[in-house]
Amino acid sequence: MNNVNLIGYLGRDFEIGTTGNGKLYAKNSLAITKKWKNEKGNDESSTTWIPIVLFGKSAESASMYIKKGSQFACSGELSSSQYTDETGNTKTILSVIVSKFYWLGKKDKEDAKQITQTPPKEPNIEYEHPTTNIESEEIPF
């Protein structure tokens, strides 16, 4: 069984595009922060950035309504792909192909605008490998 469930904050607005066969996709990174106290009792945290990809109507809806900083929950399948970089080294990329998602944002009572929380600063992640096929879907990382 390959099932992943995540809740985190979107690092940016969705980047949308189309695959080589014309299917719409939306990609983003989800920030998931773990917090704990160290041996001295001080607060510490660590943020993991997880690349996510949505396809079809899900991609369209998410990119239209869910923006940077929104809390986002999703279920999907963990996908890995490999590529060879310009120096000949093999690299592996993990991402989640989202099958279901939930926007956990809130509405402001006064003007019904979306309130977003500021997630940690997203690192500059380069997705340099060529398109990969997962069950005939092209993964745009």
Side-chain angles (χ1 to χ4, degrees):
M1 177 187 291
N2 182 356
N3 187 34
V4 177
N5 298 300
L6 302 169
I7 298 175
Y9 293 91
L10 295 176
R12 61 182 186 271
D13 288 348
F14 279 95
E15 181 181 326
I16 59 171
T18 55
T19 64
N21 62 3
K23 190 162 189 177
L24 183 70
Y25 70 81
K27 65 181 181 176
N28 209 326
S29 292
L30 195 61
I32 299 174
T33 302
K34 176 182 175 181
K35 296 180 182 182
W36 70 93
K37 293 205 181 275
N38 65 19
E39 61 278 353
K40 295 181 182 179
N42 297 325
D43 291 335
E44 290 196 28
S45 67
S46 174
T47 300
T48 301
W49 289 92
I50 300 174
I52 59 172
V53 183
L54 294 83
F55 289 97
K57 296 239 183 240
S58 293
E60 184 178 358
S61 295
S63 65
M64 288 177 58
Y65 300 109
I66 306 172
K67 302 300 180 191
K68 175 182 177 178
S70 294
Q71 192 175 28
F72 187 83
C74 62
S75 295
E77 179 178 317
L78 186 61
S79 170
S80 68
S81 58
Q82 291 186 331
Y83 70 100
T84 304
D85 70 11
E86 62 279 348
T87 62
N89 295 319
T90 300
K91 304 284 184 173
T92 300
I93 300 290
L94 293 176
S95 59
V96 174
I97 310 305
V98 175
S99 57
K100 294 181 184 179
F101 71 89
Y102 306 93
W103 174 55
L104 303 177
K106 298 179 181 175
K107 297 281 184 179
D108 185 358
K109 292 179 184 176
E110 291 181 19
D111 60 7
K113 289 184 181 176
Q114 176 181 339
I115 298 173
T116 59
Q117 296 185 14
T118 303
K121 183 171 175 23
E122 180 178 13
N124 185 17
I125 301 173
E126 294 295 326
Y127 302 103
E128 302 171 358
H129 69 84
T131 303
T132 304
N133 286 330
I134 299 279
E135 297 178 0
S136 301
E137 294 298 343
E138 296 176 19
I139 307 304
F141 284 110

